[in-house]
Amino acid sequence: MDGNGRWAKQKGLLRVVGHENGTKSVREVVEASAELGIKNLTLYAFSTENWNRPKIEVQKLMKLLVKSLKKEIKTLQDNNIKLSAIGNLNDLPKNAHSELLEVIDKTKENNAMTLTLALSYGSREELINVVKELSNKVKNNIISSDSIDESIINKHLYTQNLPDVDLLIRTSGEQRISNFLLWQIAYAELYFTPILWPDFRKADLYDALIAYQNRERRFGKTSEQLS
Ligand code: FPP
């Protein structure tokens, strides 16, 4: 969800106003995804690197998170959406952490769609944790190193309950991954749009999905093999 800061700057507003308007796009994209029957939507809301931003901006983002969670619990319940989160959640301020856990608990029986928020998330940190956990298990003879395969690694990731990513959308014209789900996007289709996140609306999500539908996902095979 990139481009909040630039959106605000273009309008002569404070960066935090960009983030506030970004929450409207979050609502649109969540609603549109649920309407379309998408089973999993993951939003990169705050990276491990984002802690290095000015303190006032970090505080505002955390406040926005709490406000959005309080406000949107009804939308989640009405649309049968389960909330989930990935990342180093213990890094979050206490009130944000407890509000998050509360909404996760209240929506745990919902099953139309899983909305996952990546918060204090960094893919390299996630992978480092996997390596540490697996090496401990090998050291303690719980598993053998020979048994380590893709499925064991998947089971140790934050995303253990999620399938691989099919489509990754990045807004604002930047064409990079920025430490997001590096393992999980191995075969994802990448879609970059110049639209700044606060301007991203349902129609823009549909454009991304249409582009995705027109891709040929070969997973290493030839086109002929697929047909
Ligand atoms: C990146 O834009 C955006 C973020 C770091 C925060 C995303 C947060 C929201 C959309 C609002 C809160 C989210 C939830 C889930 C309630 P940027 O600030 O890097 O923009 P720039 O690159 O133009 O400076």
Side-chain angles (χ1 to χ4, degrees), residues 107-127:
T107 60
K108 66 176 188 280
E109 305 298 339
N110 295 347
N111 58 13
M113 182 172 96
T114 299
L115 168 64
T116 303
L117 298 181
L119 291 163
S120 190
Y121 175 84
S123 189
R124 285 187 171 178
E125 185 183 81
E126 176 181 37
L127 292 169

Side-chain angles (χ1 to χ4, degrees), residues 34-226:
E35 283 161 11
L36 290 170
I38 288 171
K39 297 301 289 178
N40 295 288
L41 173 70
T42 302
L43 299 176
Y44 200 6
F46 198 87
S47 71
T48 44
E49 292 75 22
N50 286 153
W51 292 113
N52 298 321
R53 290 195 171 196
K55 204 171 156 199
I56 184 105
E57 184 172 344
V58 172
Q59 282 173 343
K60 178 69 190 184
L61 278 166
M62 292 301 142
K63 268 194 183 164
L64 263 183
L65 173 66
V66 174
K67 194 175 152 194
S68 302
L69 287 167
K70 284 187 196 290
K71 194 171 153 205
E72 301 301 344
I73 171 101
K74 189 171 166 356
T75 316
L76 297 177
Q77 299 293 34
D78 290 350
N79 291 284
N80 195 16
I81 299 170
K82 185 205 295 223
L83 186 75
S84 168
I86 56 173
N88 200 347
L89 306 182
N90 290 323
D91 283 352
L92 297 174
K94 250 193 183 146
N95 64 332
H97 194 192
S98 58
E99 191 66 40
L100 181 69
L101 294 186
E102 196 181 317
V103 179
I104 288 174
D105 188 59
K106 282 186 178 153
T107 60
K108 66 176 188 280
E109 305 298 339
N110 295 347
N111 58 13
M113 182 172 96
T114 299
L115 168 64
T116 303
L117 298 181
L119 291 163
S120 190
Y121 175 84
S123 189
R124 285 187 171 178
E125 185 183 81
E126 176 181 37
L127 292 169
I128 290 167
N129 289 338
V130 173
V131 173
K132 282 185 184 161
E133 275 185 47
L134 290 179
S135 52
N136 269 330
K137 285 187 179 173
V138 170
K139 191 168 81 186
N140 295 316
N141 290 320
I142 299 167
I143 57 167
S144 72
S145 60
D146 285 344
S147 70
I148 296 175
D149 59 9
E150 284 190 19
S151 103
I152 290 194
I153 292 178
N154 282 332
K155 283 187 195 119
H156 287 79
L157 292 164
Y158 290 133
T159 51
Q160 54 193 250
N161 299 317
L162 294 173
D164 271 358
V165 176
D166 290 315
L167 169 65
L168 182 147
I169 301 172
R170 183 172 186 153
T171 56
S172 90
E174 306 296 356
Q175 300 192 15
R176 52 177 175 262
I177 306 300
S178 300
N179 204 11
F180 189 52
L181 302 176
L182 297 178
W183 169 274
Q184 299 88 336
I185 61 165
Y187 280 98
E189 295 297 325
L190 308 182
Y191 181 86
F192 300 104
T193 169
I195 298 167
L196 302 175
W197 179 252
D199 288 330
F200 197 83
R201 289 290 167 266
K202 287 187 182 184
D204 303 308
L205 178 69
Y206 303 153
D207 283 346
L209 294 171
I210 290 165
Y212 171 78
Q213 285 175 331
N214 288 313
R215 305 271 178 97
E216 183 181 57
R217 304 190 74 195
R218 291 195 292 276
F219 297 97
K221 293 184 179 169
T222 66
S223 210
E224 291 71 29
Q225 281 177 302
L226 295 178

